[in-house]
Amino acid sequence: MRQLPRVDPGQVWFVDFRVRGREQGKDRPALVVSSRFHLDLTMGQLVFVLPLTSVERAGWVHRVHVASGGGWVVTEQIRTVSVERFRRYAPEIRLSTAELSEMRHVLTQMLIV
């Protein structure tokens, strides 16, 4: 049994998004959007994440550009995943304070808060 990694809000990790059967899935970067409260509540076992993509979609104003990763945060695909799906920490992909703020703003607009 492998030791589970310590995950912190705002980090980017490569996550195994494989699904069942013939559905497409792969390891891809994902932004941790769980709060410290949520991570502590689930003992670090369940994590809210937003996948990142390198595909730009013109006119999709709800996606947040990540300069250091050359991609976009897919804010419309929030997922809860087991930390066992986390493959490796990606410190080379880091959201700036402004990018994190924009992502929070978009999520606030999309969710009932």
Side-chain angles (χ1 to χ4, degrees), residues 4-11 13 32 34 36 39 44 47 49 83 86:
L4 299 178
R6 171 157 168 100
V7 175
D8 288 312
Q11 290 180 330
W13 285 77
V32 174
S34 284
R36 174 52 46 208
L39 291 168
V47 184
V49 297
V83 73
F86 282 43

Side-chain angles (χ1 to χ4, degrees), residues 54-69:
S54 59
V55 178
E56 181 178 7
R57 302 274 186 201
W60 289 37
V61 297
H62 57 283
R63 292 199 172 175
V64 177
H65 186 257
V66 180
S68 70

Side-chain angles (χ1 to χ4, degrees), residues 12-112:
V12 175
W13 285 77
F14 277 87
V15 176
D16 176 0
F17 281 106
R18 279 185 293 205
V19 287
R20 296 182 183 166
R22 296 174 186 229
E23 297 173 340
Q24 185 177 4
K26 61 180 178 177
D27 286 4
R28 63 189 292 184
L31 172 66
V32 174
V33 294
S34 284
S35 66
R36 174 52 46 208
F37 172 79
H38 178 258
L39 291 168
D40 290 345
L41 184 69
T42 66
M43 294 176 284
Q45 300 279 322
L46 293 174
V47 184
F48 299 141
V49 297
L50 295 172
L52 276 66
T53 183
S54 59
V55 178
E56 181 178 7
R57 302 274 186 201
W60 289 37
V61 297
H62 57 283
R63 292 199 172 175
V64 177
H65 186 257
V66 180
S68 70
W72 288 263
V73 178
V74 183
T75 57
E76 74 275 13
Q77 290 185 22
I78 192 165
R79 298 215 21 213
T80 303
V81 296
S82 168
V83 73
E84 292 178 3
R85 290 180 173 265
F86 282 43
R87 297 298 176 236
R88 77 168 178 85
Y89 175 52
E92 68 277 12
I93 306 172
R94 181 176 298 264
L95 276 72
S96 69
T97 302
E99 291 165 345
L100 284 170
S101 179
E102 183 180 354
M103 181 271 310
R104 285 185 189 101
H105 176 74
V106 169
L107 285 181
T108 300
Q109 299 302 308
M110 296 175 79
L111 301 172
I112 299 172

